[in-house]
Amino acid sequence: MTKPWLAFNFYSAATLSHKPLIAISACLHGEAVRYDGTAKKLLLLSELAETVDLYPVCPEVGAGMAIPRPPIQLQKQTNVIAAIGRDDSTLDMTTALQQYAPRSIAAVEHRLSGYIFKSRSPSCGVESTPLFDPQGQTIGLTSGIQAKYIQTTLPWLPLREEQQLATPEQCQQFIMHCLIMQDLINGYNHAGAEKLNQHYSPLQSRFNVSQRKQLDAERNQPDSYWQLFSEALAGLELETITN
């Protein structure tokens, strides 16, 4: 895999000194942990692993479910979205999955640079998981319980599902996204918003007008600033970022 980030002007030279740490759904890492005892290994896993360190997580196994196990699905109840057995409605894994989510990344939360999720999973889907009503009818799409926790807790973290990493170019764009956010957050914490804004002004010039205005308004609110920057960056092609 080519490495366009080697020629990118990061704020800190140290950004390229260590591999970014990327969490990944364990089934995409090649582990046979799915409900049916299978894996769904990411097609370009070995190419990614040359550049990043991967941290596999299976929320369902971590929450205490067996391999294999009864399948679960997300169900919209009165005030909550619950993880209920697809074939056994008495099986409720909601609380166990919610309690495991913070534990799953506790040891690495402050080092995470990105997360790769299994699509459509009741724990790991990112706005792709089918949502059912109590009668079993599909009523929409939502995020799985693990993914929702990450989206809420680390809203600036670059996220991808496996089908968004199907080509080398998509993998390179994701790695660039992760490295830039790592560089931005570390630089912001050490040097402050003004210096980071100056350094990244050429890249910000490629964002749309609305995004630039929002970033300027939130430049002294780190969490909001990082989230807005990450969202804008996710919408850029690799060539736009690197040229």
Side-chain angles (χ1 to χ4, degrees):
M1 181 185 292
T2 59
K3 299 179 179 180
W5 46 86
L6 294 178
F8 187 80
N9 182 28
F10 292 104
Y11 179 79
S12 172
T15 297
L16 292 176
S17 299
H18 304 283
K19 287 185 176 181
L21 180 66
I22 310 296
I24 184 172
S25 296
C27 60
L28 297 178
H29 194 248
E31 299 178 21
V33 293
R34 283 168 54 82
Y35 76 94
D36 57 0
T38 65
K40 287 283 185 178
K41 188 176 179 180
L42 188 70
L43 182 63
L44 296 177
L45 184 72
S46 58
E47 289 87 341
L48 272 174
E50 292 175 1
T51 302
V52 307
D53 287 328
L54 295 167
Y55 183 80
V57 179
C58 180
E60 292 171 25
V61 173
M65 300 189 79
I67 308 171
R69 54 187 174 275
I72 56 175
Q73 61 187 25
L74 296 186
Q75 183 183 108
K76 179 67 181 296
Q77 299 181 349
T78 304
N79 296 313
V80 299
I81 293 178
I84 303 297
R86 185 190 69 188
D87 306 316
D88 177 7
S89 60
T90 65
L91 175 62
D92 187 341
M93 291 299 299
T94 311
T95 299
L97 286 167
Q98 289 172 338
Q99 291 178 344
Y100 177 71
R103 300 201 307 270
S104 70
I105 62 165
V108 298
E109 180 173 343
H110 298 295
R111 294 193 292 121
L112 272 187
S113 296
Y115 206 128
I116 303 170
F117 283 110
K118 178 69 188 76
S119 63
R120 297 181 61 82
S121 161
S123 55
C124 294
V126 181
E127 308 299 340
S128 67
T129 303
L131 179 63
F132 298 87
D133 66 17
Q135 288 70 48
Q137 299 299 310
T138 306
I139 57 174
L141 298 174
T142 188
S143 289
I145 290 177
Q146 176 82 3
K148 180 64 73 175
Y149 173 80
I150 297 297
Q151 288 174 297
T152 302
T153 306
L154 304 172
W156 56 85
L157 194 71
L159 309 180
R160 296 294 189 276
E161 292 186 322
E162 78 280 6
Q163 75 275 11
Q164 297 172 305
L165 297 173
T167 69
E169 293 74 20
Q170 288 175 321
C171 291
Q172 291 163 8
Q173 197 274 351
F174 176 57
I175 293 169
M176 280 293 301
H177 190 173
C178 293
L179 287 169
I180 289 171
M181 290 309 300
Q182 177 182 310
D183 185 64
L184 182 78
I185 291 170
N186 289 340
Y188 191 107
N189 287 333
H190 287 92
E194 185 174 347
K195 287 186 177 180
L196 262 293
N197 266 330
Q198 291 173 355
H199 181 84
Y200 274 104
S201 60
L203 180 57
Q204 289 189 44
S205 70
R206 297 161 199 169
F207 300 163
N208 65 44
V209 173
S210 175
Q211 290 168 334
R212 294 199 300 270
K213 287 182 177 178
Q214 287 181 299
L215 278 168
D216 186 59
E218 297 293 331
R219 63 185 182 278
N220 294 316
Q221 303 296 325
D223 288 2
S224 297
Y225 181 84
W226 299 336
Q227 181 178 355
L228 289 166
F229 200 106
S230 186
E231 290 171 353
L233 191 58
L236 296 182
E237 298 290 338
L238 182 63
E239 287 186 1
T240 305
I241 297 171
T242 55
N243 290 337

